[in-house]
Amino acid sequence: MATSTLICETPQWKDLNDHVEEIKKTHLRDLMQDSDRCKSMITEFDGIILDYSRQRVLPATVEKLFQLAEVACLKQKIDRMYNGEKINCTENRSVLHIALRAARDKAIKSDDKNVVPDVWHVLDKIKEFSERIRSGSWVGATGKALTDVVAVGIGGSFLGPLFVHTALQTDPEAAECAKGRQLRFLANVDPIDVARSITGLNPETTLVVVVSKTFTTAETMLNARTLREWISAALGPQAVSKHMVAVSTNLTLVEKFGIDPANAFAFWDWVGGRYSVCSAVGVLPLSLQYGFSVVHKFLNGAASIDDHFHSTPFEKNIPVLLGLLSVWNVSFLRYPARAILPYSQALEKFAPHIQQVSMESNGKGVSIDGVPLPFETGEIDFGEPGTNGQHSFYQLIHQGRVIPCDFIGVMRSQQPIYLKGEVVSNHDELMSNFFAQPDALAYGKVAEQLLNEKVPDHLIPHKTFPGNRPSLSLLLPSLNAYNVGQLLAIYEHRIAVEGFVWGINSFDQWGVELGKSLASQVRKQLHLSRTKAEPVEGFNFSTTTLLTRYLEAETGVPSDQSQLPKL
């Protein structure tokens, strides 16, 4: 096995470990009194404001984190990614989702080839195709325009595009472009999800986009076959080529499935699934719904952060600061979770997407050289839009476990409302909570304050808030397509920073494969039991019992009790 110096063995890491004792002596209600400190912890780029003054850090802490970044070769690793080096070493691949939103005249290389022209070849094809669908020049098998789209994919082929779609639905420009159209997503292999995705749709007006790089993903392909049957049953098998297209690189299987390879849209192995929303995976369905011009603004927003991340000094670099603060919270303050709290209902699918990007990327147990890590990596990500989350899990955040929080706010609402006679607008009411909650977490409420409020003695322990709970605030100017792209790229690069510092490979996901291989064994057993009445064999007692009972319930035929494990 390869050996290397782990980041936790460096003097800079040990210095930060020692520094924790100094931080334990501080409280955020005192740190927030230092205006110079707070001023140094607010930075801005392109109208986006990051305020991390409510993190449990001193200026000296931040400086120590920069020193850790230096010894971790963070700048060099970022450069290697942008230069197309194969930093995903376990799969021998470049990591170039930045190329998916690069300007047409940029040069970004993988294997000494500029990949940007290939990207734009696909983008141009998507633009032309989506305009044909949206204008009605491409029609379905019965001559009707295709106004409804079902995108079939799972994981990275689903969560990112769904987040962007949900965020754009109420943006005035995007909503105007989407009039008369529907976009739905089918991810779960559960037949309930199939039913929900096609309820109310007419096969004559529906286009299905099948998203699978290899065209072999079990869940996606079963769902694709199910929708193929739905279309064929209504319109005949010949209708498939008019009503189904693909995002894939396996043109042989695409054609075998019944989709014209000319209607397959490519992406590349240097695009990880969870980073693929800016590829045809997301751009095709989103362009069909909103038009390519809106989606191009989304890509430009992501590109603006790509440039900021690559060129801005760390002291003002938003993704770098966010990544280093996460390393501090996870590895030194030992906080295992992070709450993502967007104060915009349009961002309701942002936390689920970041769950995948973060936890699939950085949930690793060995270094990039294969050395077991003596420290934890990754965070448990969860979240809900404010103010819904306040009435759900904020109780735990205020008085239970300490969970660092990301508060994401928007200066201008997509759908402003101001009722006559109200003190503030609806958006003001929402944002009042955005501004108040971080202070409530930081300051808390002490017994002395409660006594002054004449709170009965027996209730004081219950109404005391310890405070000193870290958060950061990210304030966006608005939430149009451009800003949505910026937000996506900020978090993508933040996650990369964490992995670069920890010294892990954030761009593979071998843990996903184990469950898949075991599921294939179960699938084989179910088939044999159903078609040949073969007993369940080769599994442990628990799985054998559950599988046997499952088969009995499904068929309605009692099991051979001699074959059933004794409980």
Side-chain angles (χ1 to χ4, degrees):
M1 178 179 288
T3 59
S4 67
T5 300
L6 299 176
I7 189 67
C8 61
E9 296 169 356
T10 64
Q12 291 80 1
W13 182 283
K14 293 172 183 176
D15 184 32
L16 277 162
N17 249 338
D18 294 340
H19 181 64
V20 170
E21 293 305 312
E22 183 177 355
I23 294 299
K24 286 180 178 178
K25 299 172 186 176
T26 66
H27 195 289
L28 280 170
R29 71 171 67 98
D30 301 315
L31 296 179
M32 293 300 293
Q33 301 304 312
D34 185 342
S35 297
D36 289 337
R37 170 191 170 276
C38 292
K39 184 178 179 181
S40 72
M41 295 180 184
I42 299 176
T43 192
E44 183 173 351
F45 169 73
D46 199 13
I48 300 172
I49 300 171
L50 168 64
D51 178 355
Y52 61 96
S53 60
R54 293 177 190 82
Q55 290 285 305
R56 293 187 65 192
V57 292
L58 299 167
T61 319
V62 179
E63 185 55 42
K64 291 176 187 294
L65 287 169
F66 290 146
Q67 292 168 6
L68 183 70
E70 185 175 355
V71 76
C73 301
L74 177 59
K75 183 65 175 77
Q76 294 92 324
K77 290 175 180 177
I78 294 171
D79 288 341
R80 290 184 64 210
M81 181 172 80
Y82 277 66
N83 292 338
E85 296 184 40
K86 295 183 178 179
I87 61 172
N88 179 358
C89 56
T90 63
E91 297 178 299
N92 196 33
R93 293 174 179 173
S94 303
V95 177
L96 286 178
H97 43 280
I98 56 167
L100 299 172
R101 52 256 190 159
R104 197 184 290 267
D105 59 355
K106 280 245 184 179
I108 299 175
K109 294 185 177 182
S110 177
D111 288 326
D112 293 323
K113 177 188 176 183
N114 182 11
V115 300
V116 176
D118 292 341
V119 170
W120 273 97
H121 174 74
V122 174
L123 290 176
D124 288 338
K125 182 178 177 180
I126 290 172
K127 179 181 179 182
E128 187 270 338
F129 178 77
S130 61
E131 287 177 352
R132 289 175 67 194
I133 294 289
R134 289 170 57 82
S135 69
S137 65
W138 174 303
V139 294
T142 62
K144 292 184 178 180
L146 301 178
T147 55
D148 308 313
V149 173
V150 180
V152 183
I154 198 166
S157 300
F158 157 65
L159 290 164
L162 177 63
F163 144 60
V164 179
H165 170 52
T166 307
L168 293 181
Q169 274 182 308
T170 41
D171 170 62
E173 179 190 11
E176 180 65 28
C177 294
K179 275 187 176 178
R181 305 198 62 81
Q182 284 191 80
L183 172 59
R184 300 185 185 182
F185 292 88
L186 171 57
N188 200 332
V189 75
D190 188 335
I192 291 171
D193 205 19
V194 175
R196 288 177 174 177
S197 72
I198 61 175
T199 296
L201 295 186
N202 181 352
E204 291 181 280
T205 59
T206 301
L207 178 71
V208 176
V209 180
V210 183
V211 183
S212 175
K213 182 184 288 188
T214 62
F215 237 60
T216 59
T217 307
E219 302 96 326
T220 297
M221 296 317 300
L222 178 55
N223 279 337
R225 291 191 295 272
T226 303
L227 292 199
R228 181 180 63 184
E229 177 59 28
W230 176 66
I231 291 168
S232 298
L235 307 175
Q238 75 285 348
V240 170
S241 62
K242 280 292 217 176
H243 290 263
M244 299 188 81
V245 298
V247 177
S248 179
T249 56
N250 193 334
L251 296 183
T252 301
L253 289 185
V254 166
E255 185 172 22
K256 186 177 180 182
F257 185 88
I259 295 174
D260 186 343
N263 299 326
F265 298 82
F267 59 116
W268 305 271
D269 66 7
W270 41 258
V271 182
R274 56 195 174 276
Y275 297 96
S276 66
V277 64
C278 293
S279 73
V281 168
V283 173
L284 177 58
L286 293 168
S287 294
L288 289 165
Q289 179 70 3
Y290 298 107
F292 184 80
S293 62
V294 169
V295 180
H296 191 212
K297 292 175 183 177
F298 161 73
L299 297 176
N300 285 342
S304 75
I305 296 298
D306 294 340
D307 293 340
H308 167 72
F309 178 53
H310 193 213
S311 63
T312 304
F314 287 175
E315 292 79 3
K316 297 290 183 181
N317 192 312
I318 291 175
V320 168
L321 289 166
L322 291 174
L324 292 177
L325 290 167
S326 286
V327 170
W328 168 247
N329 285 327
V330 171
S331 298
F332 300 98
L333 296 182
R334 306 291 196 269
Y335 300 141
R338 170 177 61 193
I340 299 171
L341 310 171
Y343 277 66
S344 171
Q345 192 64 29
L347 295 176
E348 64 176 308
K349 296 299 182 182
F350 184 59
H353 176 52
I354 298 305
Q355 277 182 338
Q356 189 204 19
V357 183
S358 174
M359 296 168 73
E360 196 167 273
S361 293
N362 289 340
K364 305 294 169 63
V366 298
S367 75
I368 199 163
D369 296 311
V371 179
L373 297 174
F375 58 89
E376 302 287 350
T377 64
E379 294 128 318
I380 302 165
D381 284 290
F382 70 98
E384 185 74 19
T387 55
N388 295 1
Q390 292 174 201
H391 294 268
S392 175
F393 51 78
Y394 277 35
Q395 169 62 43
L396 182 145
I397 292 174
H398 278 288
Q399 289 185 303
R401 294 174 181 269
V402 179
I403 298 175
C405 298
D406 291 0
F407 289 93
I408 303 169
V410 181
M411 296 182 194
R412 296 185 299 278
S413 175
Q414 290 179 333
Q415 299 287 327
I417 298 174
Y418 200 152
L419 298 180
K420 186 177 180 180
E422 294 288 342
V423 177
V424 295
S425 71
N426 294 41
H427 188 62
D428 286 342
E429 180 66 30
L430 174 73
M431 292 301 289
S432 295
N433 289 274
F434 168 84
F435 293 116
Q437 286 290 337
D439 279 342
L441 288 165
Y443 288 83
K445 199 164 189 177
V446 298
E448 184 180 5
Q449 291 171 286
L450 296 167
L451 286 169
N452 290 337
E453 295 172 4
K454 309 297 189 219
V455 174
D457 288 350
H458 72 282
L459 289 180
I460 286 177
H462 301 281
K463 293 194 170 187
T464 298
F465 294 83
N468 210 27
R469 284 153 191 256
S471 69
L472 58 86
S473 299
L474 201 61
L475 189 56
L476 308 179
S478 61
L479 201 58
N480 54 31
Y482 182 83
N483 301 135
V484 172
Q486 289 182 308
L487 182 62
L488 171 76
I490 285 170
Y491 273 77
E492 286 180 342
H493 294 318
R494 172 195 197 163
I495 290 158
V497 167
E498 293 174 66
F500 287 152
V501 172
W502 281 322
I504 60 178
N505 185 357
S506 299
F507 306 105
D508 62 8
Q509 61 282 332
W510 298 106
V512 178
E513 302 303 319
L514 176 59
K516 287 183 179 180
S517 64
L518 294 177
S520 67
Q521 298 173 32
V522 176
R523 190 182 304 116
K524 181 179 179 181
Q525 178 66 63
L526 289 172
H527 176 70
L528 290 172
S529 295
R530 295 222 192 280
T531 58
K532 298 184 179 179
E534 292 195 8
V536 176
E537 294 178 340
F539 299 92
N540 60 46
F541 179 87
S542 173
T543 303
T544 300
T545 302
L546 296 176
L547 268 175
T548 304
R549 292 296 175 89
Y550 173 74
L551 286 161
E552 176 184 344
E554 282 287 294
T555 60
V557 178
S559 302
D560 179 350
Q561 295 299 308
S562 66
Q563 300 292 330
L564 195 63
K566 301 297 185 234
L567 300 180

